[in-house]
Amino acid sequence: MNITQIRNATVLLEIGDHRILVDPMLSSPSSLAGFRLFRGQRRKNPLTALPDDVNQLIESATAVLITHEHPDHLDKSGIEWIKSRGLKVWCSSVDAPNLRRKGLDARIITEDSCDLSVEVVPAIHGHGMIGWLMGPVAGYYLAHPNEPTVYITGDTVLTDTVKSAIERLRPQVIIAPAGTANFGIGKDLMFSEAELIELAKMASGQVVFNHLEAIDHCLMTRLRLRQIMDDAGSGQQVFIPEDGERLEFDCSSDAPPVELRTSSQSTPGIQKWLTAKFAGT
Ligand SMILES: [Zn+2]
């Protein structure tokens, strides 16, 4: 299995015969609004350009996987790119109707989509009312017989659901957002610094941290995260790839047998409508 970090949460996941483009935000720098609401430092997004060889990297994509519809995970450029190639878009039942309205070939991911074993792990993008208003997010555990198992957490805080998924599924690789996003008021919108440390300690395999240094409300840097993980004694198992960097994972040990669960995916509500509006795609 190979994971190529593209930018922010956008990665190319090579698993089995699949080359799955996850959460494509493909806009040029400064072409999206700033997300930070308070405490200054609001800047237009994305803050950084895509890697020089991005076209070559993503051209081979065979499908797309979406964790949620926020514009730093699926933007207008990403939608146009997907449409022009006619790729299938795997997503949760919450996002499928709206993605179809946007003209995408959206398919609800199930336990055996694209010959992978899949479990959808519900994620919560913040605490309290903010987390609710941010709308539902889907994490995905993916297993292929000849590949390491991988859990893409999606934008989430460290909920009991996420913790129990890590304990039960024992993914060999976890891909998690580490930007500690904050609107400038209230608690972080995804894993806080303390939660990132806890997540790395809980992980039985390796952890790939991304969603860094590309969006104005994500203040964590790669350098600081590396220091934090080294200080916490988790440096060895953690990867913090640069944009354009490709990581290779071998199936050196068999994945632990697990029984996948069908989660009750939440139904779209007012918060889904709000975040779709906010997304503006
Ligand atoms: Zn995000």
Side-chain angles (χ1 to χ4, degrees), residues 8-9 35 68 70 72-73 125 155 177 181 190 211 215 217-218:
N8 200 47
F35 293 166
H68 65 303
H70 288 175
D72 59 324
H73 294 254
H125 200 331
D155 286 2
M190 48 202 196
H211 209 308
I215 300 293
H217 70 337
C218 293

Side-chain angles (χ1 to χ4, degrees), residues 146-167:
N146 305 321
E147 300 276 26
T149 56
V150 58
Y151 169 32
I152 302 165
T153 68
D155 286 2
T156 186
V157 295
L158 193 58
T159 62
D160 288 344
T161 304
V162 171
K163 285 184 191 174
S164 73
I166 294 171
E167 281 163 0

